[in-house]
Amino acid sequence: MASNKNKLAFLSMPAPASYVAGLGRGASGFTTRSDIGPAREGPSAEVIAEAQARRGEEPEIDPEQFQDPDNEYGLFAGTTYEQDDEEADKIYDDVDQKMDSRRRARREARENAELAKHRAERPKIQQQFADLKRGLSVVTDQEWESIPEVGNLTRKKRRKDERTFVVPDSIIVGDRSKSEYENSLDTRQQQANGLETPADTGTMTNFVEIGQARDKILSLKLDQISGTATTSGSATSVDPKGYLTSLNSVVLKTEAEIGDIKRARMLFDSLVKSNPKHAPGWIAAACLEEHAGRMVAARKLIKAGCEQCPKSDDVWLEAARLHNNDDAKVILANAVQHVGQSVKIWLAAADLEQDAKSKKRVLRKALENIPNSVRLWKETVNLEESATDARILLSRAVEVIPLSVELWLALARLETPERAKAVLNKARKSVPTSHEIWIAAGRLLEQGAMGDPDKSTETKNKALDLVDRTIELGVRELRRHQVLLTREQWLKEAERCESDGSPRTCEAIIKATVSMEVEEEDRLDTWVSDAESAEARGMVGTARAVLAYALKVFPDQRNLWRKAADLEKAHGTKESLDGVLSQAVHYCPQAEVLWLMSAKEKWLAGDVPAAREVLEKAFIANPESEQIWLAAVKLEAENGELGVARELLVRARTVADTERIWMKSAVFERQQGQYAAALETVSTALSKFPKFAKLYMIQGQIRQMEKNYSAARASYAAGLKACPKEITLWVLASKLEELDGRSIKARALLEKGRLVNPANEILWAESVGVEERSGGAAQAKAMLARGLQECPSSGLLWSMSIWAEPRPTRKSRSVDALKKSKDNPLITCTVARLFWAERKIEKARQWFSRSVATEQDKDIGDHWGWWLKFERQHGTPEYVEEVIRQGVAAEPHHGPAWQVIAKDDKNVGKGTKELLSMVADALQ
C-alpha cells in the first residue's frame, strides 16, 4: 500500500514551470465538445525563453530584427514617395553603378582568366575526344564490321507485344471486291439505254456562238493589255510587234498589294482634302496612282496639285515627269509663270529640249530671270563649243557673281597664262578668303615654269621658287582674313595637287603648312606618321615632301634618312636615291648603314669605282667599323680582286680586330681552297675569341671536308664545351656521327643537347630525322609526339607531324596545327603544299602568298623555292617571273635548304635569282 502511495506522490507535487498538459501528445490548443469554456492557453514567450535558457538552448532569432532600413515600412510605411525621394534614389543608384564600373574591368578579366584556367584543367568531353573522333576516318571496313552489335545485356526477358486487333468488315468487303468484274447492268442503266447520257429534250448547244464569244472577250482583253489597239465599232486590231513586250510589262498584283493600295489611296485622299496646300501629299497621291497603273488618275491628281500649290517647284516637276515630252514643255512653261526663280524648273525645261540651240535659248532665258545662279552659268558655258564664246560668258558671269570661286577658276583655265594671272589677281581681290585661288595661282606658275623645255635650269628654279613664295604668301593672307584651315585639310589639298600633276605646288603647300598645329616635341613622330600614311595611299610626292621638310629640321636623324632612302628606292629613280644617300652620309657620317646603302646602290648600278670611292670615304669617317671593312672585302671579292680582298682582311684584323672579321677571313680562305690557311686563321681566332661558336663550326666543317672525322669530332666537342647553348653545333656534331655510321652516338648527342637546351624545336626535329633515317618509323613518330608535348606551338614540328599522317587525315591535322602554332609561316607553306597535292591551284597560290606575307616570313628562302617550284609546274611564265621578282626583292637568308645551297663554296658569288632557282630544283 505504501508503495502505491509513493508511486502517485508526484500528483501532489507542483508542475514544472514549462509543463503543459497534453503538449507532448498534441492535445493542447483546441477544445472538444465535452469541454466547457475556452481551451487552455499555452505558455508565454517569456516562459519559453526562460525554460530554454535553463536547458542551455539558444533562443530563436527573429528574422525581422535585421530588416534593411531602406525598405521603409512600419514607421515610414504611411509616408508619400515624393520627388525628393526619387532623386535621392537615383543619386544612390548612380553611385552604385559608378563603383561597380570601376571594378568591372578587373572583375571581368579575373572571371575570364578563371574560366580559361578551368577550361584548361577540365576541358569538355567533346574536346578530349576530338582526336579520337578524327581517328575514326582511318578505321577499315573489316574493323568497323567486327564491332559487336549492342544487345540486351540486362539478362532480363522482355515481354513481347502480342496484342491483336479486330479488322473491320468494310476492309474485308473492300479487299474482296478489288478483283471482281461487273458483267451485267443494273436496273437504272438498263432504263437509260445502257451507258448513254440522256440530253434534255428540245435543247441544242450552239458551240459556234460559244467560240465567237470567247474570241471577242479575248480580243478585248488583248486590246486592254497592249495599249496599242484601235477600236472602230466591232473591228479590233493589235500591234503585233509590241504585243509580247506589252504582255511582259504587265505587273500582277496580289490581293495584299491591292488592299495596301486601297488603304494608301484613302489616306492620301484624306490628306489632300484636309491640307490641300501640302505639296508632298499631292506628289505621293500621284505616285500611288502611277504605281497602281492608273496614269489618267495620277495626271488628274498632279494637275489639281499644281492648281493648289502653284509655288512648289517639286509639284510642277512631278507633273512634267508624268506627261509626255510635249505636254511637259507646256506644263513647265506654266510653271515659269508661277515660280520663275526656280533653277530646277529652268534646268528641267532645258533637258526637255532635243537640240543644243534650243537648250541654249532656254538657259539664256533662265539667266535673264536668275542672273545670280552659278549652276545656270555653268550649264550654259558647258553647252558652248567655242572656247572664245565660253570665255565671254564666263567674263560676264564673274561680273554678275564676283564671289563664285568656281567661275573665276574656270575663266582662268580658259585664258592664256599671262591673262590668267590677271584673272586670278582679280579673283583674289574679290574673294580674299578662298584658298583654291592661291593654289590655282601656284599651279599656274608651275605650269609656266615646266611648260617651256628651252628654259635653262636656273630660270626654272627661279620660277619654281616663286611657287613656294606664292603659296607661303597665300597662307599668310588667309590667316590675316581669319581663314584657318587645319593640317589635314592642307595635306588633302597637297595630295589633290599631286594627283592633278602639280608636284611642286604640292611640295610648296607642305613646306608652308606641315608644321602647323604640331607641338615641338611631337614634330618628328607626327611628320613620319604623315609620310607613312601618304605613302600608304599612293601619294609618293606628298610623302617625299614631308620627309624633305623633316630632314631640313632634323638633318642628324639617321632613321629619317633611312626612311627617305627606302622611299626613293621603292618609288624613285636611281638619281634621286643617289642624291638622298649623298646628303645622308654628309649629315650623318657615323651612320654605317647609309654608307653601305650608298656603296651597294653604286655597285648594283655597275659603277664599281664609285662604290670604292664611297667606301674609302666611309673608312675615313668610321675607321674601326667592321661592316664597312667586310663590305669592302665583299666588293673586291665579287669583282675578282682576290688579292686586294685578302689584303683588306689582313688590315681589318689589325685595325678592327673583331670576331666577325676573323670568321670572314677563315671563310674567305676556305672558299679559295686554302684549307691550311683557313685552319691557321681559325686557330688564331679561337685563341682570341674562345666563346665564338662559328669558329668551331668552320674548323669542324673543314676537318670534315678533309675526311678527318676524329679531328672534326674534337672541334665540335670543344665548341660544345665552350658554347653549350649553340644549337647549330649540336646539330653539326650529330650529323657528323651519323655520317660516320654512329647513329646511336648521334642520338645520344641530341638527347644531351635537349637536356642542356630544353623546349628547342630544332633539336627535336633533328632527333626525329635521325630516327627516320635509321629506319625506325615508329620511334620517329613517338619522338615527334614527345617533341610536340614539349613544344606545343612549334611550327617546324607540326609541319613534320602533318607529313607523318596518312593522306586522308592531313587536312584535319593541319587545322590543329594552325590553331596551335598561331599561323606559323611553316604551317602556311605546308597547307599550300597540301592544296598543291590535291590540285587546288588557286588555293595553293593564295596560301603560298600568305607564307611570305610579312617581312619576317620573306626571309625564309625555302618558301620562295616551294612557290617557284609550284608556279613552274602549274603557273604561267608571268606568274613565274613575278615570284622570281618578289623573291629577289625580299633577299632571303634563312631556311634549311636555302642555307645549305647559299653557303656551299661552289655557289660563292651567285645572286639571289640563281640561288632561288637552285633551291627550287633541290626541294622535294
Side-chain angles (χ1 to χ4, degrees):
M1 192 70 179
S3 61
N4 291 335
K5 186 177 181 180
N6 292 334
K7 288 182 179 179
L8 301 176
F10 69 91
L11 294 174
S12 60
M13 296 179 183
S18 61
Y19 175 73
V20 179
L23 184 63
R25 54 189 173 88
S28 66
F30 62 92
T31 59
T32 63
R33 297 184 65 181
S34 60
D35 294 331
I36 299 174
R40 182 182 298 176
E41 295 182 0
S44 63
E46 292 80 2
V47 175
I48 295 176
E50 185 179 355
Q52 288 177 343
R54 282 200 300 270
R55 290 198 296 267
E57 298 179 359
E58 294 182 359
E60 295 183 0
I61 298 174
D62 183 13
E64 300 295 332
Q65 67 182 2
F66 300 111
Q67 180 62 37
D68 186 3
D70 291 339
N71 298 330
E72 298 173 354
Y73 63 90
L75 179 61
F76 301 101
T79 59
T80 305
Y81 189 72
E82 297 179 350
Q83 186 176 1
D84 295 341
D85 302 328
E86 184 179 358
E87 292 178 359
D89 291 342
K90 287 183 178 179
I91 292 172
Y92 281 115
D93 291 340
D94 293 341
V95 172
D96 292 340
Q97 291 178 4
K98 182 65 176 178
M99 296 299 292
D100 181 67
S101 64
R102 292 174 60 184
R103 306 184 186 94
R104 185 180 303 160
R106 285 179 291 177
R107 185 177 68 250
E108 291 179 353
R110 185 180 68 254
E111 290 175 356
N112 293 335
E114 292 176 355
L115 180 61
K117 183 178 179 182
H118 177 73
R119 291 297 187 197
E121 293 176 353
R122 301 182 63 184
K124 295 180 180 180
I125 299 298
Q126 183 180 3
Q127 296 176 353
Q128 294 178 4
F129 291 96
D131 297 338
L132 297 177
K133 285 183 180 179
R134 285 194 292 268
L136 292 176
S137 60
V138 298
V139 176
T140 61
D141 294 339
Q142 296 178 355
E143 292 175 346
W144 186 263
E145 292 175 358
S146 63
I147 298 175
E149 296 290 339
V150 178
N152 183 14
L153 305 179
T154 60
R155 297 183 180 179
K156 293 182 180 180
K157 294 182 179 180
R158 295 184 178 179
R159 183 185 302 173
K160 295 182 179 180
D161 192 4
E162 296 179 352
R163 291 181 295 175
T164 58
F165 302 92
V166 178
V167 180
D169 295 341
S170 59
I171 296 177
I172 298 175
V173 173
D175 290 341
R176 185 186 63 185
S177 62
K178 275 184 179 179
S179 58
E180 291 183 355
Y181 294 94
E182 293 287 343
N183 52 13
S184 63
L185 300 175
D186 59 10
T187 306
R188 185 178 60 82
Q189 291 173 339
Q190 292 177 2
Q191 292 175 358
N193 295 326
L195 298 176
E196 293 181 0
T197 302
D200 295 337
T201 58
T203 59
M204 295 293 291
T205 301
N206 191 345
F207 292 102
V208 177
E209 294 181 357
I210 293 175
Q212 292 176 353
R214 183 195 61 188
D215 294 341
K216 188 174 183 180
I217 293 172
L218 179 60
S219 64
L220 290 174
K221 289 184 177 180
L222 291 176
D223 293 341
Q224 295 174 358
I225 292 172
S226 65
T228 58
T230 59
T231 305
S232 175
S234 61
T236 304
S237 62
V238 178
D239 181 11
K241 295 182 180 179
Y243 173 63
L244 293 177
T245 306
S246 301
L247 286 180
N248 291 331
S249 65
V250 175
V251 179
L252 300 178
K253 295 183 173 59
T254 62
E255 294 181 0
E257 291 178 335
I258 294 173
D260 293 340
I261 291 173
K262 289 181 178 179
R263 285 192 293 271
R265 186 179 291 122
M266 293 174 59
L267 289 173
F268 288 135
D269 185 51
S270 175
L271 174 63
V272 297
K273 286 181 178 178
S274 61
N275 189 5
K277 298 300 181 182
H278 186 61
W282 291 103
I283 296 173
C287 290
L288 176 67
E289 297 299 339
E290 180 189 11
H291 178 70
R294 302 175 59 188
M295 290 299 298
V296 176
R299 290 166 181 166
K300 286 182 178 180
L301 279 173
I302 204 65
K303 181 180 179 182
C306 292
E307 294 173 356
Q308 295 291 335
C309 308
K311 297 299 182 183
S312 173
D313 52 0
D314 292 333
V315 175
W316 290 105
L317 292 173
E318 184 68 18
R321 187 184 67 82
L322 291 175
H323 289 77
N324 57 30
N325 200 359
D326 296 333
D327 294 340
K329 291 180 181 179
V330 176
I331 290 170
L332 292 180
N334 293 330
V336 170
Q337 304 293 329
H338 296 87
V339 281
Q341 297 298 315
S342 175
V343 177
K344 292 191 289 185
I345 293 292
W346 286 105
L347 290 176
D351 290 337
L352 291 177
E353 300 295 339
Q354 302 297 327
D355 57 327
K357 186 176 181 182
S358 301
K359 288 180 183 289
K360 292 179 184 178
R361 185 177 66 250
V362 172
L363 289 175
R364 294 190 179 187
K365 187 71 175 178
L367 286 173
E368 293 178 4
N369 289 275
I370 319 172
N372 58 348
S373 172
V374 178
R375 188 176 179 188
L376 287 176
W377 281 107
K378 289 170 65 177
E379 292 291 336
T380 307
V381 171
N382 288 336
L383 288 175
E384 295 294 338
E385 298 178 357
S386 171
T388 305
D389 296 339
R391 191 183 305 118
I392 295 172
L393 280 174
L394 285 172
S395 301
R396 176 59 182 163
V398 295
E399 291 177 5
V400 177
I401 316 173
L403 298 180
S404 175
V405 179
E406 295 180 72
L407 297 178
W408 281 110
L409 295 179
L411 178 59
R413 282 193 292 269
L414 291 176
E415 294 286 359
T416 60
E418 294 300 326
R419 298 185 64 180
K421 292 179 183 179
V423 170
L424 289 177
N425 284 329
K426 291 181 181 179
R428 178 174 54 83
K429 294 176 182 178
S430 300
V431 194
T433 59
S434 172
H435 64 280
E436 292 96 341
I437 295 175
W438 288 101
I439 294 175
R443 294 185 59 192
L444 180 65
L445 292 172
E446 182 180 359
Q447 291 173 4
M450 305 301 294
D452 189 2
D454 297 333
K455 284 186 179 181
S456 62
T457 305
E458 185 178 357
T459 308
K460 286 184 179 179
N461 292 335
K462 287 182 179 180
L464 293 176
D465 291 339
L466 186 59
V467 176
D468 297 341
R469 291 198 298 271
T470 301
I471 297 296
E472 186 178 357
L473 177 62
V475 173
R476 286 202 305 269
E477 289 293 321
L478 290 172
R479 286 179 182 172
R480 190 167 65 84
H481 288 89
Q482 302 299 318
V483 180
L484 302 177
L485 274 70
T486 61
R487 285 183 71 257
E488 288 73 17
Q489 290 174 322
W490 281 115
L491 288 175
K492 287 182 181 178
E493 292 294 338
E495 292 179 0
R496 190 177 294 113
C497 288
E498 181 185 356
S499 302
D500 294 340
S502 301
R504 187 53 186 260
T505 308
C506 166
E507 184 179 349
I509 294 173
I510 295 296
K511 288 179 181 179
T513 61
V514 76
S515 59
M516 293 169 50
E517 303 173 6
V518 181
E519 297 293 336
E520 187 173 354
E521 59 272 11
D522 298 334
R523 289 184 299 175
L524 181 60
D525 295 336
T526 304
W527 292 339
V528 170
S529 176
D530 291 339
E532 289 176 351
S533 60
E535 185 183 2
R537 291 191 296 270
M539 299 299 171
V540 181
T542 305
R544 184 183 290 118
V546 173
L547 287 176
Y549 186 85
L551 286 170
K552 287 184 179 179
V553 181
F554 303 102
D556 55 344
Q557 290 288 333
R558 62 179 64 186
N559 293 331
L560 203 56
W561 285 108
R562 179 71 182 272
K563 286 185 178 295
D566 291 339
L567 179 68
E568 296 299 334
K569 186 175 181 180
H571 305 285
T573 61
K574 293 181 179 180
E575 292 77 10
S576 62
L577 177 59
D578 185 39
V580 169
L581 290 174
S582 299
Q583 294 182 11
V585 297
H586 174 71
Y587 286 105
C588 302
Q590 306 301 321
E592 302 171 359
V593 178
L594 298 176
W595 286 108
L596 295 176
M597 286 183 65
S598 179
K600 184 177 180 180
E601 293 302 325
K602 298 282 188 184
W603 177 36
L604 292 177
D607 194 354
V608 178
R612 288 196 183 102
E613 184 179 354
V614 170
L615 289 177
E616 288 176 2
K617 294 179 180 179
F619 281 132
I620 299 172
N622 304 276
E624 297 183 359
S625 172
E626 78 170 19
Q627 292 186 355
I628 295 176
W629 280 107
L630 293 178
V633 171
K634 183 177 180 180
L635 177 66
E636 301 299 341
E638 294 287 343
N639 289 280
E641 300 291 340
L642 301 180
V644 178
R646 187 176 284 109
E647 291 178 5
L648 284 173
L649 283 171
V650 172
R651 289 173 56 194
R653 292 199 297 268
T654 305
V655 177
D657 196 21
T658 61
E659 54 190 16
R660 193 158 178 263
I661 289 179
W662 281 97
M663 179 199 71
K664 289 293 184 180
S665 301
V667 170
F668 178 78
E669 298 295 344
R670 185 187 67 180
Q671 290 172 351
Q672 305 307 319
Q674 305 294 328
Y675 294 150
L679 289 174
E680 184 180 355
T681 304
V682 169
S683 301
T684 308
L686 284 174
S687 63
K688 293 186 175 185
F689 310 103
K691 295 292 185 180
F692 192 48
K694 289 190 177 181
L695 295 174
Y696 295 102
M697 297 180 199
I698 296 172
Q699 189 180 41
Q701 288 172 344
I702 294 174
R703 296 296 187 187
Q704 188 174 335
M705 293 168 65
E706 294 176 346
K707 305 296 183 181
N708 191 353
Y709 293 153
S710 58
R713 190 177 292 111
S715 298
Y716 290 143
L720 290 174
K721 186 176 180 181
C723 310
K725 296 295 183 180
E726 186 64 37
I727 306 302
T728 311
L729 270 175
W730 290 101
V731 175
L732 290 175
S734 168
K735 287 185 176 180
L736 175 64
E737 300 297 343
E738 196 175 357
L739 183 64
D740 200 19
R742 300 181 180 183
S743 299
I744 298 176
K745 185 67 180 298
R747 193 179 293 115
L749 269 173
L750 290 173
E751 186 73 27
K752 186 177 179 182
R754 294 200 304 271
L755 292 175
V756 177
N757 304 279
N760 187 275
E761 60 175 6
I762 299 176
L763 292 177
W764 280 107
E766 188 62 27
S767 299
V768 174
V770 169
E771 299 297 341
E772 288 178 346
R773 289 188 289 270
S774 61
Q779 290 86 347
K781 197 168 185 179
M783 185 69 68
L784 185 58
R786 288 174 55 195
L788 284 173
Q789 287 180 352
E790 191 168 343
C791 308
S793 60
S794 168
L796 179 59
L797 296 178
W798 274 108
S799 176
M800 298 176 70
S801 174
I802 292 171
W803 294 115
E805 292 288 328
R807 184 181 293 272
T809 60
R810 285 177 181 174
K811 187 174 291 186
S812 59
R813 194 66 170 172
S814 65
V815 173
D816 294 339
L818 287 171
K819 291 179 180 178
K820 295 292 180 64
S821 63
K822 300 178 182 179
D823 293 340
N824 188 284
L826 289 171
I827 303 300
T828 309
C829 184
T830 303
V831 173
R833 292 169 60 191
L834 289 178
F835 284 125
W836 179 8
E838 295 176 1
R839 294 298 187 269
K840 296 180 179 179
I841 307 304
E842 288 302 323
K843 282 191 175 182
R845 184 174 287 119
Q846 293 175 4
W847 281 85
F848 274 124
S849 178
R850 286 179 59 183
S851 67
V852 292
T854 64
E855 292 297 328
Q856 185 177 1
D857 300 343
K858 290 180 180 179
D859 195 46
I860 305 177
D862 288 17
H863 296 176
W864 292 105
W866 281 115
W867 194 2
L868 179 59
K869 191 179 185 70
F870 164 77
E871 294 296 351
R872 284 177 175 176
Q873 184 173 349
H874 297 287
T876 60
E878 291 78 12
Y879 279 118
V880 174
E881 290 298 326
E882 180 63 20
V883 172
I884 293 175
R885 186 189 65 79
Q886 294 184 20
V888 171
E891 295 184 357
H893 295 90
H894 293 89
W898 181 274
Q899 288 181 320
V900 170
I901 293 176
K903 293 187 177 182
D904 191 351
D905 294 340
K906 299 176 183 178
N907 300 325
V908 175
K910 292 184 178 178
T912 306
K913 184 175 181 180
E914 298 175 275
L915 293 176
L916 182 59
S917 178
M918 295 174 67
V919 169
D921 295 335
L923 289 173
Q924 294 180 355

